[in-house]
Amino acid sequence: MNPVFRWFHSLGSPPTFYRFASRWIPWTGSAALTLGAIGLYLGLARAPADYLQGESFRIIYLHVPSAWMSLFIYVLMAVYGAIALIWRIKLCEILMLASAPVGAMFTAITLITGMLWGKPTWGTYWEWDARMTSELVLLFLYFGVLGLAYAYDDLRQGARAAAVLALVGVVNVPIIHFSVQWWNTLHQGESVQVIGKSTIHGSMLWPLLIMAVATKFYFLFALLQRARVLLLEQERGKAWVRELAMESR
């Protein structure tokens, strides 16, 4: 077997994953904290004010990375759900459930910062614009996944039901992303391009990209933390968990 595939296969073992998570939690947390501090400093203190929006545009450094993460985490959650449904891999069920609260948090931050940004920009906190509405639907989908998962006495059965909802709800992700192209909305078009030239100035772009990387590391930190707790709950009757409890005494 290819060494890479062998490593991924071994990572599916609960004791192996627990040790892997424990090893990487401090590093991901430190990276998130360091990059977040740098990104916020550059964005809030060093980047120039926007020529139209003035200082209010600085909320972009929380709003946009959170919006990107809200979509990224939901797609990843749906992938975990698909793997869990097809191959019945317990670890993917746990990773899906561990992703949902973090994704819901980023979605809530997106909506709240968007409302705060909307007041000085559009003159209103909320408008039933296509992107705002579909982002609100995304928050309800995260809540639905969590509610459905914990509605069952058997968490594995609940995880499989939640995985179906995650897969159905993933159709909302392209609606959010392409809403500014499909409908006439208050939101402007994309300023940051993966392929092609971004329209945002470099002095504003770099802090934004640093914050985007920081949120990725925070997600990994929170995911590993939550997955480790869920893993211990599901495996609490296994010998390796008892041995771990004995070692911690």
Side-chain angles (χ1 to χ4, degrees):
M1 182 185 292
N2 184 285
V4 176
F5 286 112
R6 187 186 302 116
W7 180 79
F8 274 110
H9 180 74
S10 66
L11 195 61
S13 166
T16 303
F17 178 81
Y18 185 90
R19 290 192 295 269
F20 172 84
S22 300
R23 184 163 55 249
W24 283 101
I25 282 172
W27 291 101
T28 53
S30 298
L33 185 62
T34 303
L35 290 173
I38 294 171
L40 286 175
Y41 170 72
L42 293 176
L44 300 181
R46 300 301 300 270
D50 185 76
Y51 74 101
L52 286 177
Q53 300 179 44
E55 299 293 343
S56 66
F57 99 99
R58 296 186 191 279
I59 205 166
I60 193 176
Y61 298 111
L62 286 177
H63 178 73
V64 172
S66 296
W68 288 342
M69 288 304 299
S70 70
L71 303 182
F72 170 77
I73 294 173
Y74 196 92
V75 171
L76 186 63
M77 187 175 69
V79 170
Y80 286 142
I83 296 172
L85 286 172
I86 296 169
W87 289 290
R88 304 298 176 108
I89 298 175
K90 181 188 294 185
L91 182 60
C92 285
E93 296 173 4
I94 289 172
L95 290 172
M96 181 194 69
L97 296 180
S99 299
V102 190
M105 179 200 70
F106 276 115
T107 308
I109 292 173
T110 301
L111 290 168
I112 293 169
T113 54
M115 291 168 62
L116 295 174
W117 195 4
K119 182 61 175 176
T121 306
W122 303 326
T124 180
Y125 286 111
W126 185 267
E127 186 71 33
W128 291 100
D129 140 295
R131 175 160 284 182
M132 295 174 77
T133 304
S134 52
E135 187 75 14
L136 180 62
V137 170
L138 184 67
L139 181 62
F140 291 150
L141 284 168
Y142 275 119
F143 288 158
V145 167
L146 286 168
L148 193 57
Y150 292 100
Y152 291 80
D153 292 331
D154 181 1
L155 189 58
R156 293 205 67 184
Q157 185 179 359
R160 287 192 286 271
V164 175
L165 177 58
L167 286 170
V168 172
V170 80
V171 70
N172 189 48
V173 172
I175 292 175
I176 297 172
H177 181 73
F178 292 108
S179 58
V180 294
Q181 300 176 25
W182 293 346
W183 296 287
N184 183 23
T185 75
L186 293 173
H187 285 80
Q188 67 181 46
E190 303 292 336
S191 299
V192 180
Q193 301 291 336
V194 177
I195 300 175
K197 187 176 180 180
S198 298
T199 57
I200 185 172
H201 191 269
S203 60
M204 301 176 179
L205 176 61
W206 278 108
L208 186 61
L209 295 179
I210 292 171
M211 286 300 297
V213 176
T215 54
K216 294 290 191 301
F217 275 111
Y218 175 79
F219 168 63
L220 287 173
F221 169 76
L223 176 67
L224 294 175
Q225 286 271 33
R226 297 188 65 85
R228 196 170 63 160
V229 172
L230 288 172
L231 193 61
L232 288 177
E233 289 178 359
Q234 283 209 9
E235 297 278 303
R236 59 183 176 272
K238 300 294 179 66
W240 73 270
V241 176
R242 291 195 296 269
E243 292 174 3
L244 190 66
M246 293 295 293
E247 291 174 5
S248 61
R249 289 179 182 175

